[in-house]
Amino acid sequence: MNTITDTIPEGREDLTFIRPFSPIIVKQQMSEEILGIVENAFSKAFDDTTAGHEYNLAGNMKREFTIDQTLLGEEDANKFIQMLANGGGELYKASKLQIWENMRKAATSKHIEMIENNLQNMQLNVAVHQAWGNISVAGDWNPVHRHSGMVSGVGYIKLPDDIEFEWENEDHDPSAGMIQFTDSRSQDLSSNNIRLRPEIGVIYFFPAWLMHMVYPFRSKGERWSFSFNLDVKNQYPDIQLTDAQKMEMIEHREKLIAES
């Protein structure tokens, strides 16, 4: 999980790179069906010029609107929510596995047995708190901010026609229309920023506390994106021992001591 195998220099099998502290960002490709569902939602939002303006974003955007069951319809809303729940669950699981991989290095064999059994039996509940659509034109932007909940994300439906040309013709530090994530723990020998180009049909899931911003673009046309906030909870223990498991650990240790 947190060993960077693809950056180890050739011939240096004696090296292991460990990255225990970085938050995880999950990139997911939408299915054609889901992409069509969200495209239809944007088309409906265009038709209803009064819908959704009660949702106020942090930045300067041409328009934003709430994405809910009223807009999507019950069947499509369930498919959309299921996609968000699946992606949020994958981020939750990947993050817990990363944390456990660090804890595991100092754990006893009994502790490892219990936690890995817990991790194999996760039962996740995902609650979608908000989802909203964003329509952006040249000059629109979002300042540095964070979201509420545990997991947030952004998905892309449409990009300006000339955005690829704009990226290729920027200077040494392209940024037009890109999303940038920032981890405030910046020191020497560490990176605290990552800048990602939007791609049609791609969603990024990330911890809601992770600071991020969106740069303006200059190209003609619109960018359609949607954002959301989720909470994810495991019905059962994952990397934390229950009281019963702690008692079992104590009994196991006492048995080992008695047998030694």
Side-chain angles (χ1 to χ4, degrees):
M1 175 58 64
N2 56 349
T3 299
I4 309 177
T5 57
D6 57 348
T7 56
I8 297 176
E10 186 176 354
R12 292 303 308 271
E13 289 79 8
D14 57 314
L15 297 180
T16 299
F17 293 170
I18 299 173
R19 49 174 186 181
F21 305 119
S22 297
I24 294 172
I25 298 173
V26 171
K27 178 181 179 180
Q28 178 179 316
Q29 187 73 41
M30 279 182 265
S31 68
E32 290 296 326
E33 181 182 24
I34 294 295
L35 188 57
I37 286 171
V38 184
E39 284 178 337
N40 288 337
F42 274 80
S43 297
K44 289 180 182 178
F46 274 121
D47 294 337
D48 184 358
T49 57
T50 64
H53 288 282
E54 74 280 359
Y55 204 98
N56 296 313
L57 299 179
N60 178 16
M61 313 288 281
K62 180 182 179 183
R63 189 171 176 215
E64 69 274 354
F65 57 92
T66 302
I67 298 177
D68 55 17
Q69 185 169 313
T70 301
L71 183 65
L72 296 177
E74 183 176 358
E75 182 178 352
D76 286 348
N78 289 337
K79 293 176 181 178
F80 180 69
I81 289 170
Q82 188 61 55
M83 176 196 64
L84 299 185
N86 290 342
E90 290 301 323
L91 176 59
Y92 180 94
K93 289 186 285 186
S95 300
K96 291 294 184 178
L97 288 170
Q98 182 185 46
I99 296 168
W100 169 240
E101 185 61 27
N102 297 324
M103 295 172 60
R104 190 181 191 279
K105 301 179 191 303
T108 65
S109 58
K110 186 63 175 178
H111 190 180
I112 291 171
E113 176 190 329
M114 288 180 170
I115 297 300
E116 294 193 344
N117 184 65
N118 288 351
L119 292 173
Q120 290 176 6
N121 293 287
M122 280 190 177
Q123 295 290 329
L124 301 182
N125 286 333
V126 182
V128 180
H129 293 304
Q130 303 105 0
W132 63 97
N134 314 300
I135 299 173
S136 305
V137 297
D140 286 358
W141 54 278
N142 260 0
V144 177
H145 65 286
R146 57 160 294 168
H147 286 205
S148 61
M150 177 183 285
V151 175
S152 294
V154 58
Y156 298 97
I157 305 302
K158 180 181 178 180
L159 299 177
D161 293 338
D162 296 329
I163 193 67
E164 294 275 357
F165 180 82
E166 186 173 347
W167 288 332
E168 289 302 318
N169 286 275
E170 285 193 295
D171 62 14
H172 66 286
D173 192 25
S175 62
M178 296 185 192
I179 186 168
Q180 178 171 301
F181 297 96
T182 300
D183 186 338
S184 60
R185 301 166 297 180
S186 176
Q187 297 291 334
D188 290 341
L189 303 181
S190 68
S191 172
N192 71 323
N193 288 315
I194 182 171
R195 196 176 295 167
L196 299 172
R197 296 181 180 185
E199 302 174 50
I200 294 175
V202 162
I203 310 175
Y204 293 107
F205 295 83
F206 52 90
W209 60 263
L210 187 61
M211 303 298 288
H212 56 287
M213 63 171 290
V214 180
Y215 288 92
F217 57 87
R218 308 173 190 86
S219 303
K220 293 181 179 179
E222 296 180 332
R223 180 184 62 225
W224 294 359
S225 64
F226 64 90
S227 301
F228 50 88
N229 295 326
L230 316 172
D231 267 327
V232 185
K233 293 183 179 179
N234 188 7
Q235 296 182 58
Y236 300 100
D238 39 56
I239 58 174
Q240 301 298 324
L241 294 173
T242 64
D243 289 342
Q245 288 175 324
K246 291 176 183 177
M247 288 301 302
E248 188 177 346
M249 285 277 291
I250 292 172
E251 292 170 1
H252 178 72
R253 183 172 67 247
E254 290 176 346
K255 180 180 178 181
L256 290 177
I257 292 172
E259 293 175 348
S260 63

